Amino acid sequence: MPTSREIRLAARPAGTPAPTDFSLATTTLPDTPPPGTLLVRNHWMSVDPYMRGRMDDAPSYMPPFELGAPLEGGAVGEVVASGAPEVPVGAMVTHFAGWREYALVDAAAATVVDTALAPASAYLGPLGTTGLTAYAALTRTAPVREGDVVFVSAAAGAVGSVAGQVARALGASRVIGSAGGPEKTKKLLDTFGFDAALDHRQGGLAEQLAQAAPDGIDVYVDNVGGDHLQAAIGAIRREGRIALVGAISTYNDTTPAPGPNNLFQAAKQEASLRGMLVTSHLDLFPEWTRKAAAMLADGSLRTERTVVDGIEHAPDAFLGVLRGANTGKMLVRLAAGAE
């Protein structure tokens, strides 16, 4: 029986999570999976900001993680034993039983991926839900129109870096991104093709945005909340659209953060603020996969990843995402040499 190390939730965080909120445990899995299931050796796992909310014992759009149980999240790996004839041994699949080296998953909950089209790790980033989030935000939630000025927060992250490039492909005339520090803002301009980059660590975000978009913005993809959302509302043009994707600046707050004090500006401009959950847009996956694969192949979609090696370092990777340590997608490599 194979042994597998996994990360469990040891305690519910109070504010910013600490390493002691996680524990590393070893478990065993059957050599022969039951009918309809797959034994998968995970090669890669994802850590994402939304996971912070699931660590609290509070109702949300996804159930909270259970104390003492392994955490969950996106992963991609190789089927090493199959109880489902439609998924052969050797197939690479994505599934939601991350945070562990081996996973026993229902075959119906796994998706076979084509590693000839893109490396396995890409199916957790640009070809995964982070890429889909960017595409759905800009085609459905806050659709981009030809000539729009688009602002994206957390623009050097997994969703934001793709969103800026998708906005350009959809016809935006100017794409502005915010990130933390000179290294990331330079990356926005030189790698991801943004027209202007704002460094939120320098303060004065509204003033920086006004300088980058003196006539205002038409679309804002909000991954941060707080001062970013307030600045975007202050700059929104008539009938502008705001996609409320995330609010990472508030995830560790122990008391509710005050909302923007300029919401009526959106009313005066007849602008829309619309929340989005990527799980409501999974029907777009085939369309997005085709488009993204073509963009990756012709170089019009440029991506980066930040890699942490080893299941034992998965909590460090997650904490790094919460403090903005990643450029592009933050991934944990669980199998040596995996691509």
Side-chain angles (χ1 to χ4, degrees):
M1 300 176 71
T3 60
S4 174
R5 294 182 299 166
E6 61 188 27
I7 300 295
R8 298 176 180 176
L9 184 65
R12 299 204 182 275
T16 302
T20 52
D21 295 324
F22 306 87
S23 64
L24 179 65
T26 300
T27 187
T28 58
L29 293 164
D31 291 312
T32 304
T37 68
L38 309 170
L39 181 62
V40 180
R41 183 192 180 198
N42 286 335
H43 286 199
W44 296 92
M45 57 163 278
S46 175
V47 289
D48 301 283
Y50 81 87
M51 295 174 175
R52 175 60 187 87
R54 295 192 66 191
M55 293 178 181
D56 296 329
D57 189 11
S60 185
Y61 63 93
M62 295 186 77
F65 291 130
E66 295 181 21
L67 279 175
L71 298 166
E72 298 174 334
V76 61
E78 179 185 1
V79 176
V80 295
S82 176
E86 69 274 17
V87 185
V89 170
M92 293 295 292
V93 297
T94 57
H95 57 86
F96 209 61
W99 294 87
R100 63 203 85 185
E101 293 174 314
Y102 285 81
L104 186 65
V105 300
D106 288 338
T111 301
V112 177
V113 298
D114 183 359
T115 54
L117 187 66
S121 61
Y123 289 92
L124 298 179
L127 297 182
T129 54
T130 50
L132 179 64
T133 297
Y135 184 66
L138 292 168
T139 56
R140 285 184 173 174
T141 309
V144 173
R145 301 167 185 163
E146 192 76 28
D148 277 349
V149 176
V150 177
F151 174 40
V152 180
S153 59
V159 173
S161 59
V162 174
Q165 297 172 82
V166 168
R168 177 80 70 208
L170 292 171
S173 62
R174 184 167 175 79
V175 184
I176 302 159
S178 71
E183 183 177 339
K184 285 190 176 182
T185 52
K186 185 175 188 299
K187 185 78 69 173
L188 295 186
L189 301 173
D190 297 347
T191 300
F192 300 131
F194 285 75
D195 297 295
L198 318 181
D199 184 351
H200 66 79
R201 293 180 182 172
Q202 298 299 315
L205 190 67
E207 292 75 18
Q208 290 188 62
L209 182 57
Q211 184 174 357
D215 297 322
I217 63 173
D218 300 288
V219 172
Y220 171 49
V221 178
D222 186 24
N223 297 301
V224 174
D227 60 345
H228 282 73
L229 180 55
Q230 175 141 337
I233 292 171
I236 202 73
R237 294 204 283 215
R238 188 166 183 80
E239 297 184 351
R241 285 86 63 206
I242 295 176
L244 302 173
V245 177
I248 195 170
S249 68
T250 69
Y251 289 167
N252 291 323
D253 290 351
T254 55
T255 57
N261 62 19
N262 61 346
L263 272 175
F264 193 65
Q265 179 68 18
K268 290 192 293 184
Q269 295 293 71
E270 294 189 295
S272 64
L273 289 79
R274 185 179 177 188
M276 77 152 291
L277 301 176
V278 70
T279 49
S280 297
H281 302 279
L282 298 180
D283 63 295
L284 281 177
F285 242 138
E287 177 183 322
W288 167 242
T289 300
R290 289 193 302 271
K291 290 178 182 289
M295 293 173 70
L296 287 170
D298 67 19
S300 59
L301 178 58
R302 303 177 70 181
T303 64
E304 292 208 2
R305 66 188 191 187
T306 302
V307 175
V308 172
D309 283 293
I311 187 68
E312 67 274 19
H313 298 301
D316 297 329
F318 173 69
L319 298 178
V321 166
L322 294 183
R323 65 173 184 270
N326 57 301
T327 298
K329 179 66 178 174
M330 177 72 89
L331 293 169
V332 180
R333 180 162 37 206
L334 303 177
E339 289 298 331

